[in-house]
Amino acid sequence: MARTQRSIEERISEKEIQYEQVMEKAKQYQAQMKRLKQQQKAEERKKRTHLLCQIGGTVEKVLDRPLVEEDVMRLLNFLNQQERNGKYFTRAMEKCPDTGSEMEGAKNE
């Protein structure tokens, strides 16, 4: 059987089709990556929201009463004062450099 050679136009046409298929696949991958990044951001937001709720719950537990709007500014002022007086809050929240665990002063009792 003699093999017929394709013309240049046929080969160009074939490559154009292949190129379009590859570009379509690339768009699909980009869309998948975008969705995955959105999911990742949503998970990070959920974790942050959970952490903030835990912090608020801890403050309420220490105060032995529910928080009110004015408490937020009082807490902010108190923490800023602690920082100005010697970075007490920052030092309490730092991890021990040797073990990576919380420092003695920052442990829950």
Side-chain angles (χ1 to χ4, degrees), residues 58 62 102-109:
T58 301
V62 169
E102 292 178 350
M103 293 176 56
E104 286 297 315
K107 286 187 180 174
N108 291 336
E109 295 173 5

Side-chain angles (χ1 to χ4, degrees), residues 3-64:
R3 198 173 141 194
T4 59
Q5 207 174 43
R6 295 177 296 158
S7 69
I8 293 177
E9 290 83 18
E10 290 173 330
R11 292 188 300 184
I12 289 173
S13 177
E14 183 180 305
K15 292 299 176 189
E16 286 175 347
I17 291 170
Q18 290 175 350
Y19 176 78
E20 289 173 9
Q21 291 171 343
V22 167
M23 292 306 292
E24 181 62 33
K25 197 69 166 171
K27 287 179 186 177
Q28 290 173 0
Y29 285 134
Q30 286 177 336
Q32 290 172 359
M33 284 176 36
K34 184 177 177 181
R35 281 193 301 273
L36 288 171
K37 287 179 182 179
Q38 288 172 341
Q39 287 176 351
Q40 183 181 33
K41 286 180 183 180
E43 286 178 20
E44 289 170 358
R45 274 193 309 274
K46 285 180 184 180
K47 286 179 183 178
R48 180 167 163 46
T49 300
H50 180 70
L51 177 62
L52 293 173
C53 290
Q54 285 181 310
I55 291 169
T58 301
V59 171
E60 284 186 345
K61 185 176 180 180
V62 169
L63 292 177
D64 198 27

Side-chain angles (χ1 to χ4, degrees), residues 92-96 99-108:
M93 298 301 290
E94 287 177 348
K95 294 189 182 280
C96 181
T99 63
S101 63
E102 292 178 350
M103 293 176 56
E104 286 297 315
K107 286 187 180 174
N108 291 336

